[in-house]
Amino acid sequence: MLSIAVVGSGPSGVYTAQALLQQSLVPEVRVHVLDRLPTPYGLVRYGVAPDHEKIKSLQNSLRAVLEDDRVTFVGNVGVGGAEGVSPARLAELYHAVVYCVGASADRALAVPGENLPGSYSATRFVSWYSAHPDAGADPFVLDARSAVVIGVGNVAVDVARILARGADELRATDVPRAALSALGESQVRDVHIVGRRGPSQARFTTKELRELGALPGARVVVDPAELALDPAYAAPDGPPGALPLPAVVRRNLEVLRGWSAAGEPAADAGRRIRLRFFLRPVELLERDGRVAGVRFARTAPDSGGGVRDTGAYEDVAAQLVLRAVGYRGVELPGLPFDPVRGTVPHAAGRVLRDGTPAPGEYVAGWIKRGPTGVIGSNRSCAKETVASLLEDAAVLRSRAAVDDPLAVLREWGLRPVEWSGWLSIERAEAELGRSLGRGPVKIPDWPGLLGAARDGNR
C-alpha cells in the first residue's frame, strides 16, 4: 500500500486526494489529508462569501472525497510551524507528502499610511465575516461612514457587496453572530471600489459585477468620464485588424455603460457603491491616529497597454480601507521557497531542492503555480502532480512509512481532529443556529471549535 499525506484540505488538497483515488496504476493507496485547522474545505469554508451559496455548495463534492474509506481527515495538525510538525519529520511517516498550502499572505500596497488603524487587508475582513478562528474581533465597520476597497477583482467586489448588504439579508447565512451584529449597526453609506487601470482591465467576472446592481437598498455609481478614458470602452471593436475583446470584458463594459447612464442617486437613496477607475493609491491619510482617507494619483492609458501618472491627485475620504490587490505564497519552514514568485520550486509538481527533485515531496495548488485561476483550476493542477507521483511509485514504495501515523503524531504531542470531530463541530454549529433562530452559524474561535471537536473524538 502507498501511504500519502496531503497537507491542506482546501480544493487543491482534496482534488489531489481525489486524483489519487481515481487512478488505476497503484491499486492500494491510503491518503491522510492534514490541515492546521480543525475544519476542512479551506477557502471554500473561509474565503467564499456567505451569500454565495452555490459556490459554497462545492463543500458537498469535497465532502464525498473526504468520506471515502481510503481517506482520513487529520485536522488541528500544523506543518512547518513552531507548534506543528516539520516537513522532515512528516516525511518519516509517509511514502510521499503533497503540500497544498495555498497562498495565505496579502500583497502590500507599499504606500505611506498603509498600516494605520482602519486599514486592513481584504483577506482579514473576509476571515472576520467567515468566522476564521485566527480572525479575532476587529471592529471593522464601527464609526466608518465611507469605505474604500482598493482593487478590482472578485475579492474586492465580494467585500464591497458585504459592506453594502443589510444584516437582514445575511441572517440566512452562516455569518457569525458578532460580525452580523456589527454589520447590522454599520453606518457605512459610501463604498468606493478603486482600480489604477481601466474597466476593460478589471478582473471581476460579470456575474459578480451584476450582483452589485441587484442589492436591495444600494445603488451603483459609475463616472462616465472615467469609463471614456479606456480605449476599449470608447471603441469596443478596436481598430481594424485588432483582436476582439474577450467576451467577459464586453459584458462587463455593457453593465458599466448602463450604470453610468443612470447618473448620481439622490442623497437619501441608501448605500452607494462607487466604481472608480484610473486612480493609483499613493498614500493613506491620517486623522487622530486613524485612517481618514486615501490620496490617489490620477492615471491614464499609455501606449503600451499600461497606465501613466497624469500629475493630478484626488483625495477620497474613508474611515475604512480594505486592500484587495492579490495574494502571495508564504515560506513553509523546511521546504525550499522562491521569494520572488512566492512558490515552492518544482518540476511538474516534484519539489526541487537545489534544482534536483526531492524524493517523496510534491506540491499542488497556489503554492505550486501562484495565486492564479479559479477553484476548478486546481483540478488539472492536482492531476499533473499526481501523475508525477505515480511515475515515482516504485521508488516511493522503497521509502519507510509507519503503519499508524496518527498514533505517532499523538506521541509527538499533537491532538489530531478526525472526521468524527469535524462532524461534531457541524452539529454544534447547527445547534448554535437553532438557538438563534437561524440556519447553521459558524463557531468563530479556537476554543469553541476544539471543544466541539473533542465531543466527537471521544
Side-chain angles (χ1 to χ4, degrees):
M1 176 178 290
L2 198 61
S3 177
I4 302 163
V6 174
V7 180
S9 67
S12 62
V14 177
Y15 289 152
T16 297
Q18 184 179 51
L20 286 164
L21 299 182
Q22 291 176 342
Q23 57 81 32
S24 58
L25 296 178
V26 180
E28 294 186 350
V29 294
R30 176 185 68 185
V31 184
H32 284 185
V33 179
L34 281 62
D35 204 292
R36 183 179 70 87
L37 298 173
T39 57
Y41 310 136
L43 284 180
V44 177
R45 175 175 167 90
Y46 289 119
V48 174
D51 56 345
H52 275 177
E53 291 297 329
K54 184 174 181 180
I55 302 176
K56 289 176 73 68
S57 68
L58 178 62
Q59 291 184 15
N60 296 329
S61 61
L62 302 182
R63 184 189 197 101
V65 177
L66 294 174
E67 288 184 330
D68 189 285
D69 290 340
R70 295 164 291 176
V71 176
T72 301
F73 173 69
V74 186
N76 197 38
V77 173
V79 176
E83 298 180 359
V85 55
S86 70
R89 297 195 80 184
L90 192 63
E92 299 172 6
L93 307 183
Y94 300 92
H95 292 116
V97 181
V98 186
Y99 292 92
C100 306
V101 293
S104 58
D106 294 276
R107 292 188 181 276
L109 292 175
V111 300
E114 181 171 9
N115 296 318
L116 282 169
S119 169
Y120 304 91
S121 72
T123 299
R124 189 168 167 185
F125 183 64
V126 171
S127 295
W128 173 71
Y129 67 62
S130 297
H132 194 292
D134 292 340
D138 288 307
F140 284 99
V141 295
L142 294 182
D143 302 323
R145 300 172 304 283
S146 174
V148 168
V149 181
I150 299 174
V152 283
N154 281 346
V155 173
V157 173
D158 277 349
V159 299
R161 191 181 65 255
I162 294 299
L163 282 170
R165 270 202 185 281
D168 287 343
E169 300 168 55
L170 293 170
R171 196 173 304 278
T173 72
D174 58 7
V175 169
R177 285 180 292 178
L180 186 67
S181 176
L183 290 168
E185 297 173 5
S186 169
Q187 298 301 307
V188 172
R189 289 297 174 264
D190 284 288
V191 182
H192 306 259
I193 307 175
V194 188
R196 65 183 179 89
R197 299 198 289 180
S200 68
Q201 296 167 312
R203 303 297 297 272
F204 34 64
T205 61
T206 308
K207 177 180 180 297
E208 292 264 3
L209 189 61
R210 285 175 174 156
E211 286 177 343
L212 293 179
L215 294 175
R219 284 281 304 276
V220 181
V221 183
V222 184
D223 185 347
E226 290 182 350
L227 298 183
L229 289 172
D230 191 324
Y233 180 83
D237 293 329
L243 292 175
L245 289 175
V248 64
V249 174
R250 286 177 172 272
R251 291 193 297 266
N252 286 349
L253 294 179
E254 283 304 310
V255 173
L256 294 170
R257 194 184 305 276
W259 286 338
S260 69
E264 180 75 21
D268 60 353
R271 290 187 169 110
R272 294 171 293 272
I273 303 170
R274 301 182 182 274
L275 279 164
R276 305 294 309 276
F277 300 100
F278 294 110
L279 292 172
R280 180 178 65 85
V282 294
E283 182 182 1
L284 271 62
L285 307 175
E286 178 267 338
R287 182 183 300 130
D288 299 328
R290 291 185 56 82
V291 69
V294 184
R295 177 159 295 160
F296 292 97
R298 167 64 68 184
T299 65
D302 64 18
S303 58
V307 293
R308 57 178 175 81
D309 286 352
T310 65
Y313 295 87
E314 179 179 339
D315 292 351
V316 176
Q319 300 78 42
L320 173 65
V321 176
L322 299 174
R323 311 179 304 271
V325 291
Y327 301 95
R328 276 188 58 81
V330 176
E331 182 175 6
L332 193 70
L335 282 184
F337 188 70
D338 181 344
V340 176
R341 295 175 55 85
T343 58
V344 171
H346 72 93
R350 296 179 178 92
V351 171
L352 298 178
R353 291 185 180 272
D354 298 323
T356 301
E361 293 184 323
Y362 303 86
V363 284
W366 279 3
I367 199 63
K368 170 188 172 185
R369 68 181 192 277
T372 61
V374 295
I375 289 176
S377 306
N378 292 295
R379 196 183 297 273
S380 57
C381 176
K383 287 181 178 178
E384 180 191 55
T385 295
V386 168
S388 295
L389 188 154
L390 295 174
E391 289 176 8
D392 303 339
V395 174
L396 296 177
R397 283 198 187 93
S398 67
R399 294 165 49 85
V402 303
D403 292 333
D404 190 351
L406 267 66
V408 178
L409 291 173
R410 293 188 182 98
E411 290 174 6
W412 291 347
L414 300 170
R415 301 180 66 183
V417 170
E418 298 179 57
W419 192 249
S420 59
W422 159 239
L423 296 180
S424 183
I425 292 172
E426 280 193 317
R427 290 192 294 270
E429 292 183 338
E431 179 56 35
L432 174 60
R434 282 192 292 270
S435 71
L436 300 171
R438 299 169 57 191
V441 172
K442 286 179 182 171
I443 297 171
D445 57 276
W446 280 98
L449 289 170
L450 294 177
R454 281 194 294 271
D455 293 339
N457 276 350
R458 288 172 181 165

